[in-house]
Amino acid sequence: MKTKFTKIFYSFVFILVMNFVNAQEEFTPDTNDVPISDYIIPMILLGVVIGFNLLRKRTTIVK
């Protein structure tokens, strides 16, 4: 029972802390050009590949 409580507690604290973390600095609203990070396309591709592999492994386990 204690393990379940600690997992829930740490998850709750992690979610609260992540609300205060900002990935980008704030910019003025009159700026028309919003810079896109150079790493966004590789990160999206990596996420798709990891998701595909996890889904493929899960479907082979079910069969």
Side-chain angles (χ1 to χ4, degrees), residues 11-29:
S11 299
F12 183 68
V13 170
F14 179 73
I15 291 170
L16 284 177
V17 170
M18 290 307 291
N19 286 333
F20 299 113
V21 176
N22 292 328
Q24 289 182 338
E25 296 179 4
E26 294 185 16
F27 53 92
T28 57

Side-chain angles (χ1 to χ4, degrees), residues 29-62:
D30 62 337
T31 306
N32 292 333
D33 298 330
V34 179
I36 297 176
S37 177
D38 294 336
Y39 296 108
I40 191 134
I41 294 174
M43 288 172 71
I44 290 172
L45 290 175
L46 185 65
V48 168
V49 169
I50 290 173
F52 177 75
N53 286 334
L54 289 174
L55 184 64
R56 190 176 69 192
K57 284 182 185 178
R58 185 169 287 182
T59 56
T60 56
I61 292 171
V62 171

